[in-house]
Amino acid sequence: MSKRALIATYFVLLFALHQDFWWRADASLVFGIVPVSLAYHAVWTLLVAVGWGLVATFAWPTNLDDTPAPADAPTTVKSGPPR
Amino acid sequence: MIPALIIGLYLSIVVAIGLVSVRYFRGGTADYFVASRSLGPVVLFMTVFGTAMTAFAMVGSTAETFDYGVGTFGKLASWSALVHPACFFLIGLPLWSLGKRYGYVTQIEYFRDRFQSSALGYALFPVLAGLLIPYVLIGLLGVGSVVSGVTVGAFPEAFAATRGAIPPWLTMAVISAVVLFYVFIGGARSAALVNVFQTIVFVSMGLLAFWLIADTLGGMEAASATAKPAKAVRAGNIGELEFFTYCLIPLSIGVFPHVFQNFLTARSAASFKLLLVMHPVAILLAWLPCILIGFWATGAMVPGGLLPVVPSGISSNAVLGLMVAKLTSPVVSGLVAAGVLAAISLDAQFIAIGTMFTRDIVVHHFSPTRFSDRALVNIARGFIVLMVALTYAMTFLETRQIFALGTWCFTGYAGLVPLLLAALHWRRVTAPAAFAAVTVTAVTWLALFVAADFGANRKFLIGGMLPVATLVLVCTVTVVTVSLFTRPPPDHCLAKFFPIKTS
């Protein structure tokens, strides 16, 4: 499995794990302070940051900086029906 | 009086930053609209984060938690932590690259070129610009309500009708004038520098309020122990389908015209890396303290008394203000109010409106050579002044709750994401499909907005899901179906937009 596929799998897993229905009615507090579902989502958020760190390190697109702008104006498309 | 002085000091610093930024203003539209595409990773991150966060990050999150529990973090903040960077990566980065290559400054320029259709731009302009107006309105209303809340009793003679508080109309007028000032003189560069300052202020003030409130309540454990257990869970506060479909709301950031313009200010593609990684961390730092303050507010009592900090019947939008006012000092109240003001950055929206009007309507209609660069900057400035005046006038109309307005605004933008994603990543999408998608999405949004009593019905769901799910589905089906039944785009167009090879 390529690095890109592994990272994509990581994000799919995170996406699915966001729906923490198992703590839907659990009012217990982590360290007596943070409701368990809130603590879970805080950690989940940090894992998202880790995922984007992996993207930036191992799956960053290339060639994005290559071509300089020919001019600071787009191709002019004048009025007319959509083609 | 002290909070009013601190707010005045904050606004003075903002004006000073605007004045300093003018020294770096290079003149011309390239600098005014997109800061000459020169911003590095740190400024880009802080600008985009500061622009993406609104009054809701502090005031609304506390209020929503007070009403519907800590699931507020999961449904809004943590979904945003995943979906926002995904939009930056899948939409922002390719658009930045295309914008740099072909000189785009607005989304409409990209859409016109991608679909070889001038008319599509005229169809998109009212939709994109129209949804920005309620967005700005939300910010102004938030500013007015926060400052009014923390200055009660400060000016008993001047403002007797508001119990001595600075009236919202005056606050909104002053804020509009301040933002207009630095946007007018420095454009995107001024806005970026001010946003860096604002991001630091609003994140640090949220943390400060959290720390001091916890201390007054006897520590974090004591504060959580007295909070209502019913607000520590999702059960009874939000349905599972509704919770899940909140993942679609943050998609709106991919279509926000002002965020698009922020993307274009980046110096290089690598500038986006820090943004992707730090955006979720910054969301956690900004939201978690306010969510816990909202949770604690459900059971907090005034120290040494038997009265609740938040009396029953009070609007939940006042929860943060009450917690800060009753549990900390006037100095902290002023600092937190400054933090809320900092979270409400209207500058990027103003610049985006001015840019779209200038580039997509004026320049496109008359030709790029008709006006000098200086004249175009002045046209943008003029239109910005007009839109600010119009929006300010609209604050005197009947207004819905901040959250309701914001959700509908974000819903509208999110509904267009399938079209933008298709334009960037699907070769087969066609111009008739783009037209159909814009029309069908706009009509559906309007119908749902009316059905929800113009946003007043905050629990308006379709099959247990948020209206945004319907909009995204309708737009996706329209884009795919119409594309497959119409003639594919010409080869020269595809060659222009799909040459990028990724590693």
Side-chain angles (χ1 to χ4, degrees):
Chain A
M1 198 181 245
S2 69
K3 285 175 185 170
R4 281 175 174 240
L6 275 172
I7 293 170
T9 308
Y10 177 82
F11 276 115
V12 170
L13 204 62
L14 273 181
F15 186 83
L17 288 173
H18 186 274
Q19 198 78 10
D20 60 332
F21 54 86
W22 50 91
W23 278 320
R24 179 175 158 71
D26 188 342
S28 56
L29 301 173
V30 177
F31 305 123
I33 299 168
V34 188
V36 65
S37 179
L38 179 59
Y40 172 82
H41 278 108
V43 173
W44 185 93
T45 302
L46 290 175
L47 291 175
V48 168
V50 171
W52 289 114
L54 294 174
V55 170
T57 310
F58 299 112
W60 198 250
T62 54
N63 305 331
L64 289 171
D65 289 297
D66 284 356
T67 315
D72 197 24
T75 306
T76 304
V77 181
K78 293 310 289 180
S79 301
R83 292 184 288 268
Chain B
M1 182 62 90
I2 290 174
L5 288 174
I6 292 174
I7 291 167
L9 177 66
Y10 161 78
L11 291 176
S12 304
I13 295 173
V14 167
V15 169
I17 293 172
L19 287 170
V20 169
S21 71
V22 176
R23 297 177 62 180
Y24 301 96
F25 182 50
R26 301 174 189 174
T29 51
D31 208 68
Y32 192 80
F33 293 147
V34 289
S36 300
R37 305 179 201 268
S38 63
L39 302 186
V42 174
V43 178
L44 180 72
F45 153 61
M46 289 205 168
T47 305
V48 172
F49 180 71
T51 303
M53 294 296 116
T54 63
F56 192 80
M58 289 183 81
V59 182
S61 61
T62 315
E64 196 75 358
T65 304
F66 184 79
D67 284 338
Y68 301 109
V70 298
T72 300
F73 185 86
K75 74 180 184 182
L76 290 163
S78 60
W79 268 138
S80 298
L82 176 67
V83 177
H84 282 180
C87 288
F88 303 155
F89 186 68
L90 296 172
I91 295 174
L93 201 52
L95 277 178
W96 170 83
S97 181
L98 290 167
K100 187 182 176 193
R101 185 172 302 146
Y102 301 120
Y104 304 132
V105 174
T106 70
Q107 290 156 308
I108 290 174
E109 287 176 344
Y110 164 70
F111 274 113
R112 275 182 167 141
D113 217 11
R114 171 70 177 83
F115 292 109
Q116 297 291 291
S117 166
S118 168
L120 182 61
Y122 290 116
L124 271 169
F125 180 78
V127 176
L128 294 176
L131 283 171
L132 263 184
I133 292 172
Y135 197 134
V136 175
L137 199 59
I138 296 162
L140 280 179
L141 291 170
V143 167
S145 106
V146 168
V147 174
S148 173
V150 299
T151 55
V152 171
F155 305 97
E157 290 177 6
F159 306 119
T162 52
R163 292 185 296 140
I166 299 174
W169 65 264
L170 180 57
T171 305
M172 291 188 281
V174 171
I175 294 291
S176 298
V178 168
V179 177
L180 208 49
F181 170 74
Y182 67 80
V183 163
F184 200 91
I185 59 174
R189 192 174 293 279
S190 278
L193 291 177
V194 168
N195 268 310
V196 170
F197 169 68
Q198 289 176 323
T199 301
I200 293 168
V201 169
F202 96 80
V203 172
S204 54
M205 289 311 119
L207 289 168
L208 177 74
F210 169 77
W211 185 262
L212 293 174
I213 286 171
D215 191 47
T216 308
L217 291 173
M220 288 189 273
E221 279 190 65
S224 292
T226 55
K228 283 183 185 169
K231 300 301 177 189
V233 295
R234 287 210 302 278
N237 292 305
I238 182 171
E240 287 301 287
L241 262 180
E242 184 185 353
F243 183 73
F244 174 72
T245 48
Y246 263 98
C247 70
L248 298 172
I249 293 284
L251 282 176
S252 53
I253 203 167
V255 188
F256 285 157
H258 51 293
V259 175
F260 170 82
Q261 222 163 320
N262 280 341
F263 293 152
L264 296 185
T265 60
R267 187 168 53 214
S268 66
S271 298
F272 281 81
K273 289 183 179 179
L274 185 73
L275 172 63
L276 260 63
V277 177
M278 285 307 295
H279 194 78
V281 177
I283 283 179
L284 184 65
L285 283 174
W287 281 70
L288 192 59
C290 294
I291 296 282
L292 279 170
I293 291 172
F295 176 55
W296 294 341
T298 60
M301 307 297 281
V302 177
L306 296 172
L307 294 172
V309 173
V310 183
S312 59
I314 291 281
S315 161
S316 52
N317 280 336
V319 169
L320 179 64
L322 285 169
M323 287 289 280
V324 172
K326 293 189 180 179
L327 300 176
T328 67
S329 63
V331 173
V332 179
S333 282
L335 290 171
V336 170
V340 175
L341 298 197
I344 304 167
S345 51
L346 305 168
D347 42 28
Q349 290 94 322
F350 288 161
I351 294 171
I353 287 177
T355 309
M356 284 196 293
F357 176 74
T358 309
R359 303 270 305 202
D360 299 330
I361 303 297
V362 178
V363 171
H364 184 76
H365 184 74
F366 289 104
S367 97
T369 52
R370 170 77 177 265
F371 302 96
S372 68
D373 220 30
R374 190 183 179 84
L376 288 175
V377 170
N378 286 332
I379 289 170
R381 285 169 168 161
F383 191 70
I384 290 170
V385 172
L386 187 70
M387 292 311 294
V388 172
L390 180 69
T391 312
Y392 178 69
M394 287 171 70
T395 62
F396 291 94
L397 303 174
E398 186 202 358
T399 52
R400 304 290 179 194
Q401 256 202 323
I402 291 174
F403 182 66
L405 272 175
T407 303
W408 277 98
C409 185
F410 294 174
T411 296
Y413 280 118
L416 289 171
V417 165
L419 172 61
L420 191 47
L421 279 173
L424 286 166
H425 300 287
W426 190 35
R427 298 164 65 94
R428 186 64 179 78
V429 65
T430 64
F435 265 100
V438 171
T439 310
V440 170
T441 307
V443 169
T444 309
W445 180 87
L446 201 59
L448 294 175
F449 188 54
V450 172
D453 194 15
F454 298 94
N457 180 1
R458 293 189 56 199
K459 278 291 173 186
F460 181 75
L461 301 174
I462 301 163
M465 294 183 280
L466 293 173
V468 67
T470 304
L471 272 188
V472 170
L473 180 68
V474 162
C475 186
T476 306
V477 170
T478 308
V479 166
V480 174
T481 311
V482 178
S483 291
L484 293 177
F485 283 95
T486 46
R487 191 186 305 167
D491 289 342
H492 68 86
C493 180
L494 293 177
K496 180 175 183 178
F497 288 100
F498 293 93
I500 299 168
K501 299 281 186 292
T502 53
S503 61

